[in-house]
């Protein structure tokens, strides 16, 4: 099970803009 | 087409939609000790895209609440009490909704637009990049 911090980081990263 | 820099000055939204812009703004906020406001903003966007049927989603909602809202952090200080109460109650009742952080995100975004974003556009980090 992922830790809360990992889940939060994953959530933030998923919304960050990616290189085009 | 607009250059990235022209887009950055157009709006906070265009700045945050550009990878280099978002990272440079993040560096600036780290220096200003308010990077949590930006991370919260992105967390709200990420949360909105999560599947409500996934049990992970409730855990992420709780993690966002714990990290940014229930304490006396910079994000919490910039939110209206009613907004915080609404989120706290939703989590307590486990009534998770994709838009449950939208109001909070809007409030944080307004503060960023009025303060940090304006400061960023005149900061040496930005000017050196330009």
């Amino acid at each position: 099970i992922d830790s809360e911090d990992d889940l939060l980081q994953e959530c933030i990263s998923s919304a960050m803009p990616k290189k085009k | 087409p607009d250059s990235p820099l022209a887009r950055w000055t157009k709006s906070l939204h265009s700045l945050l939609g550009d990878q280099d812009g978002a990272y440079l703004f993040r560096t600036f906020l780290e220096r200003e000790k308010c990077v949590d406001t930006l991370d919260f903003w992105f967390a709200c966007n990420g949360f909105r895209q999560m599947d409500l049927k996934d049990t992970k989603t409730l855990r992420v909602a709780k993690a966002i609440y714990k990290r940014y809202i229930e304490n006396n952090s910079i994000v919490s200080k910039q939110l209206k009490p009613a907004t915080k109460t609404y989120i706290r109650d939703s989590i307590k009742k486990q009534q998770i909704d994709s838009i449950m952080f939208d109001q909070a995100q809007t409030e944080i975004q307004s503060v960023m637009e009025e303060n940090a974003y304006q400061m960023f556009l005149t900061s040496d980090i930005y000017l050196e990049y330009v």
Side-chain angles (χ1 to χ4, degrees):
Chain A
I1 257 182
D2 299 327
S3 77
E4 245 172 38
D5 271 353
D6 291 342
L7 285 175
L8 189 56
Q9 266 321 307
E10 197 186 305
C11 176
I12 293 170
S13 306
S14 75
M16 298 281 280
K18 310 281 183 295
K19 266 259 189 280
K20 278 144 220 146
Chain B
D2 289 350
S3 69
L5 293 178
R7 272 186 274 126
W8 293 4
T9 53
K10 211 162 93 187
S11 70
L12 176 66
H13 227 270
S14 345
L15 173 72
L16 297 182
D18 181 80
Q19 192 184 45
D20 291 341
Y23 280 83
L24 199 65
F25 188 47
R26 197 171 191 286
T27 307
F28 169 75
L29 292 176
E30 262 167 5
R31 211 180 56 178
E32 298 296 318
K33 310 261 182 275
C34 51
V35 74
D36 273 6
T37 53
L38 184 64
D39 287 346
F40 175 72
W41 192 89
F42 278 120
C44 293
N45 276 3
F47 180 80
R48 205 178 300 116
Q49 289 154 20
M50 290 187 76
D51 182 355
L52 290 174
K53 283 174 266 166
D54 189 340
T55 52
K56 218 161 87 172
T57 307
L58 175 62
R59 295 183 62 212
V60 171
K62 282 182 181 166
I64 295 175
Y65 178 72
K66 234 170 116 178
R67 174 76 177 80
Y68 300 108
I69 300 174
E70 77 169 357
N71 48 26
N72 207 21
S73 74
I74 186 154
V75 173
S76 177
K77 281 181 192 151
Q78 293 175 359
L79 293 175
K80 291 180 183 149
T83 307
K84 291 189 270 190
T85 306
Y86 166 74
I87 295 169
R88 188 194 63 207
D89 291 349
S90 303
I91 286 173
K92 237 188 205 165
K93 294 181 211 149
Q94 307 208 351
Q95 280 172 355
I96 301 302
D97 192 304
S98 298
I99 60 158
M100 64 182 283
F101 291 108
D102 280 17
Q103 174 61 29
Q105 187 187 27
T106 303
E107 289 171 19
I108 290 300
Q109 189 180 312
S110 305
V111 178
M112 269 200 286
E113 274 164 352
E114 281 164 32
N115 301 302
Y117 177 56
Q118 304 302 329
M119 280 162 63
F120 170 71
L121 294 178
T122 55
S123 68
D124 51 1
I125 286 185
Y126 171 77
L127 294 173
E128 270 163 33
Y129 188 93
V130 176

